[in-house]
Amino acid sequence: MPELQRTPERFSTAEYERRLRQTRESMAKLGLDLLIVSDPSNMAWLTGYDGWSFYVHQCVIVGPTGSPIWFGRGQDGNGALRTVWMTDDHIIGYPDYYVQSVERHPMDYLWATLADKGWHRGFIGVEMDNYWYSAKAHERLLAGLPEAQLLDATGLVNWQRAVKSDEELAYMRRAAHFVERMHRRIADKVEVGMRKCDLVADIYDAGLRYDEGVGYGGDYPAIVPLLPSGPDAAAPHLTWDDQPMKNNEGTFFEIAGCYQRYHCPLSRTIFLGKPPKEMIEAEKAVLEGMEAGLDAARAGNACEDIAAAFFTVLDRYGIVKDNRTGYPIGLSYPPDWGERTMSLRRGDQTELKPGMTFHFMTGLWMEDWGYETTESIIITDGAPELFCDMPRKMLVKA
Amino acid sequence: MPELQRTPERFSTAEYERRLRQTRESMAKLGLDLLIVSDPSNMAWLTGYDGWSFYVHQCVIVGPTGSPIWFGRGQDGNGALRTVWMTDDHIIGYPDYYVQSVERHPMDYLWATLADKGWHRGFIGVEMDNYWYSAKAHERLLAGLPEAQLLDATGLVNWQRAVKSDEELAYMRRAAHFVERMHRRIADKVEVGMRKCDLVADIYDAGLRYDEGVGYGGDYPAIVPLLPSGPDAAAPHLTWDDQPMKNNEGTFFEIAGCYQRYHCPLSRTIFLGKPPKEMIEAEKAVLEGMEAGLDAARAGNACEDIAAAFFTVLDRYGIVKDNRTGYPIGLSYPPDWGERTMSLRRGDQTELKPGMTFHFMTGLWMEDWGYETTESIIITDGAPELFCDMPRKMLVKA
């Protein structure tokens, strides 16, 4: 074999072993003998595996002892060889005739593999509510593992990821560098008449190109740029078209920088022309609410404290926001850069701990306009650390 | 409400009604009273819905009569209002406290909605093996619909999409224009020492920017650029890093142009330096095999005929490719630009029909190198139409 040419492993083996230990402790609490991890972010966090192969069934198996096992499509085994920290005998590939077949299912190969290892009994955790663990996958595993009991372990690994290590925070700071560069580029380029697809090309350019000053380049974010204008900005998840930017419209830019799959999202709003009074009023409320929320964002408080502080200010201004105001961030693959554990909303009593990272998502989507200015933050014992240094106020370009 | 500002609907209402009729005919064959469609590509094909909201539970309901119903997160209802062809009363949003909650599940809201309409009985089709229909979603629907029988309708809508309308082909030709531009840009820019992340920025630029000559701009492909080099090219699904391109390495570029969510994938390989003899030999086999495969790609033949023609040539050259050699393409959202119905492989006897479109995926991933040159094609009664006009041979840059 020629020497592998991937960039060095993202984390030390010691860090991966710590993650594995932590995961096994959580498994023990639930009484799990085995864990099947289908979420690509969780797979990467446990093993380092990286590749756009999650459109076929694959998983990481955390058995009772030893290193995790990568399980996937045979042809992706080469990608696993190049990216995981485990030795090569921890990579199991299934034949290609299992792919998108109506007669054969990759989960049939999985249960047979587990049986070979004597791992087909006892309590097995599966990520029941994950994109990458379909109803059919579950049905086939249930049928193939009659001596096992499959238990819902959705979020088990996601929760382990909540507090970031220093190495992870370093990657996220690099991602922050890119999202700042993206917003500066937007502010510089956007103008009436500019085609939105051209602006998106500029956003990708700023998010990806190698920065000689800092010595690294960018990765693809788990969500594409969202930048609806005018009344379309009432919808939070529209992408773009090839039409020109118009006068007297506001556009929010919900984007993230990404480095080694670690994300730093940040949103800002730009108005071309003269913003209406209600938007200026709303901005005042949001900016004040953000200060209140950031003030509550410290170790020992709960997720809901941030939300309550923010929503209290909004209420005072008579603004109704009926959705959550943030979520944890870090390592992610499409379709989401959130970690899908806690939420910054009323009723979520999860305690904030130093090293947790959140996208404080204070966006407003009203009936015929939208406004977003957000911060990505690190929880500390004192005031939160902001990943980015970027004015929050809407940029108005005449 | 101010006037909506989205680009005009992608297709005429007549086309959407035809799609709906066709889907209902297939439902009738399976004895389905109702169909729940979770795949965003299928949702878009039936309703026009567009938005990066598939990271939360959502679906389209095809009931026994009337237009389809969009069901999703409340805040995404604004996006549905702006993109679907149905009237506003066909949009149902669930409250935000159902999102990523451990106590409440959006499928609980769905079955309650179905019950309200009296649609909670009989035979209901669900897409069992789809990323967007999780094991948990199925469990909750099963629990909430005791009077219904849930049947597997994976692929039901996907199969309706197989033969493209002229309007769809027109969008795919526009996507082809972009992928040609992307490959030309790569050929122009790539050189030893160029950072891979910079090359990716150029690829996005060529895939997105408005082309004044033709009068349109690009959309995001369902898969990010794949461009592994040297021994990493043995792995088909690695993305990129920020390291410089090296001398005496081959790189394949697996990319797609995209327009209005319609895709045209195309792969080419570039070698910087002097390619090894085995790669040149393999290329000879692939090019000859492609000619044989294209010759077999005509209406009346079967999927397996294309595969057999191609693999027979490869066998003669002693090259083993143990994976399928293509799949249907068209409208797609992440994580896959394939349609997940037929495959170009031995044993797939699906009849080829005029207007079917395939990515004839003839890539080779060997132990320590990879090579890809592919074509996207339209089946006709005669020779297939190639979407792109791009030399197939590996580009060698000294």
Side-chain angles (χ1 to χ4, degrees), chain B residues 274-283 369:
Chain B
K274 192 172 155 12
K277 211 172 138 225
E278 57 177 346
M279 241 176 121
I280 294 174
E281 265 304 291
E283 170 168 76
W369 54 275

Side-chain angles (χ1 to χ4, degrees), chain B residues 123-312:
Chain B
F123 296 97
I124 300 181
V126 290
E127 297 177 313
M128 290 288 289
D129 210 5
N130 194 280
Y131 317 110
W132 319 105
Y133 187 70
S134 70
K136 175 66 90 184
H138 188 58
E139 187 180 85
R140 304 301 290 213
L141 266 196
L142 273 177
L145 295 169
E147 293 178 66
Q149 204 171 330
L150 299 187
L151 299 180
D152 187 3
T154 305
L156 186 150
V157 178
N158 305 57
W159 277 104
Q160 312 310 317
R161 292 158 44 197
V163 173
K164 282 15 179 216
S165 68
D166 289 343
E167 294 88 330
E168 289 182 297
L169 291 176
Y171 286 169
M172 292 178 76
R173 289 193 183 97
R174 291 185 170 195
H177 173 76
F178 284 112
V179 77
E180 287 182 344
R181 190 165 77 160
M182 293 155 89
H183 278 294
R184 281 196 303 267
R185 181 79 61 91
I186 294 166
D188 187 42
K189 292 269 184 178
V190 66
E191 60 182 12
V192 173
M194 184 178 197
R195 301 241 175 217
K196 211 168 258 189
C197 54
D198 291 355
L199 192 50
V200 174
D202 278 309
I203 293 171
Y204 272 106
D205 192 88
L208 293 173
R209 257 181 220 283
Y210 194 79
D211 188 323
E212 295 288 348
V214 293
Y216 46 82
D219 202 350
Y220 65 92
I223 305 180
V224 297
L226 306 171
L227 58 161
S229 297
D232 281 348
H237 296 119
L238 298 179
T239 52
W240 66 84
D241 56 26
D242 58 8
Q243 297 304 299
M245 305 284 294
K246 290 181 185 161
N247 198 21
N248 282 322
E249 283 195 344
T251 303
F252 68 72
F253 296 86
E254 184 169 348
I255 54 180
C258 186
Y259 179 77
Q260 296 273 16
R261 310 291 337 120
Y262 280 82
H263 288 70
C264 180
L266 195 79
S267 301
R268 290 291 181 267
T269 299
I270 297 182
F271 202 97
L272 300 178
K274 192 172 155 12
K277 211 172 138 225
E278 57 177 346
M279 241 176 121
I280 294 174
E281 265 304 291
E283 170 168 76
K284 215 173 129 189
V286 169
L287 295 181
E288 193 182 321
M290 286 179 83
E291 291 296 349
L294 289 172
D295 200 51
R298 59 185 65 214
N301 278 359
C303 283
E304 64 176 359
D305 294 326
I306 303 177
F310 175 71
F311 284 123
T312 301

Side-chain angles (χ1 to χ4, degrees), chain A residues 178-254:
Chain A
F178 284 112
V179 78
E180 286 182 344
R181 192 165 74 159
M182 292 156 88
H183 278 293
R184 281 197 302 267
R185 183 77 62 88
I186 294 166
D188 188 42
K189 292 270 183 176
V190 67
E191 60 180 13
V192 172
M194 184 179 197
R195 302 247 173 208
K196 211 169 256 190
C197 54
D198 291 355
L199 191 51
V200 175
D202 279 310
I203 292 171
Y204 273 106
D205 192 88
L208 293 172
R209 260 184 217 282
Y210 194 79
D211 189 322
E212 294 288 347
V214 293
Y216 45 82
D219 202 351
Y220 65 92
I223 305 179
V224 297
L226 306 171
L227 57 159
S229 298
D232 282 347
H237 295 119
L238 297 180
T239 52
W240 65 85
D241 57 25
D242 58 8
Q243 297 304 301
M245 306 282 295
K246 290 180 186 160
N247 199 21
N248 282 322
E249 283 195 344
T251 303
F252 68 73
F253 296 87
E254 183 168 349

Side-chain angles (χ1 to χ4, degrees), chain A residues 9-270:
Chain A
E9 267 175 17
R10 287 179 185 162
F11 297 100
S12 65
T13 301
E15 168 132 0
Y16 284 119
E17 281 171 346
R18 182 186 59 70
R19 294 175 181 184
L20 183 61
R21 216 163 35 239
Q22 198 181 315
T23 301
R24 282 217 172 93
E25 281 165 21
S26 256
M27 287 168 60
K29 276 182 208 156
L30 288 180
L32 295 179
D33 302 300
L34 193 95
L35 181 64
I36 295 172
V37 178
S38 314
D39 186 319
S41 311
N42 291 337
M43 289 175 65
W45 188 78
L46 284 168
T47 70
Y49 179 66
D50 182 32
W52 191 289
S53 57
F54 37 84
Y55 68 93
V56 296
H57 289 285
Q58 55 179 24
C59 63
V60 161
I61 307 162
V62 181
T65 56
S67 302
I69 291 170
W70 182 93
F71 174 92
R73 185 180 186 179
Q75 68 175 33
D76 291 318
N78 274 336
L81 274 175
R82 278 161 175 75
T83 54
V84 306
W85 64 274
M86 305 87 74
T87 50
D88 296 359
D89 54 334
H90 288 76
I91 295 170
I92 297 174
Y94 57 80
D96 213 65
Y97 50 78
Y98 280 87
V99 174
Q100 296 173 13
S101 157
V102 286
E103 298 114 51
R104 291 167 299 270
H105 198 282
M107 290 299 114
D108 297 337
Y109 201 92
L110 178 61
W111 60 252
T113 301
L114 295 179
D116 278 351
K117 293 182 179 293
W119 289 353
H120 57 299
R121 295 190 189 91
F123 295 96
I124 300 180
V126 289
E127 297 176 312
M128 289 290 287
D129 210 6
N130 194 278
Y131 318 109
W132 318 106
Y133 188 70
S134 68
K136 173 67 89 181
H138 188 58
E139 187 182 83
R140 303 302 292 211
L141 265 196
L142 273 177
L145 295 169
E147 294 178 66
Q149 205 169 328
L150 299 187
L151 299 181
D152 187 4
T154 306
L156 186 150
V157 178
N158 305 57
W159 276 105
Q160 313 311 317
R161 291 159 43 198
V163 173
K164 301 317 181 262
S165 68
D166 289 343
E167 294 88 328
E168 289 180 297
L169 291 176
Y171 286 168
M172 291 177 75
R173 288 192 183 97
R174 291 184 171 198
H177 173 75
F178 284 112
V179 78
E180 286 182 344
R181 192 165 74 159
M182 292 156 88
H183 278 293
R184 281 197 302 267
R185 183 77 62 88
I186 294 166
D188 188 42
K189 292 270 183 176
V190 67
E191 60 180 13
V192 172
M194 184 179 197
R195 302 247 173 208
K196 211 169 256 190
C197 54
D198 291 355
L199 191 51
V200 175
D202 279 310
I203 292 171
Y204 273 106
D205 192 88
L208 293 172
R209 260 184 217 282
Y210 194 79
D211 189 322
E212 294 288 347
V214 293
Y216 45 82
D219 202 351
Y220 65 92
I223 305 179
V224 297
L226 306 171
L227 57 159
S229 298
D232 282 347
H237 295 119
L238 297 180
T239 52
W240 65 85
D241 57 25
D242 58 8
Q243 297 304 301
M245 306 282 295
K246 290 180 186 160
N247 199 21
N248 282 322
E249 283 195 344
T251 303
F252 68 73
F253 296 87
E254 183 168 349
I255 54 179
C258 185
Y259 179 77
Q260 297 274 15
R261 312 288 340 117
Y262 280 82
H263 289 69
C264 181
L266 195 78
S267 301
R268 290 292 180 267
T269 299
I270 296 182

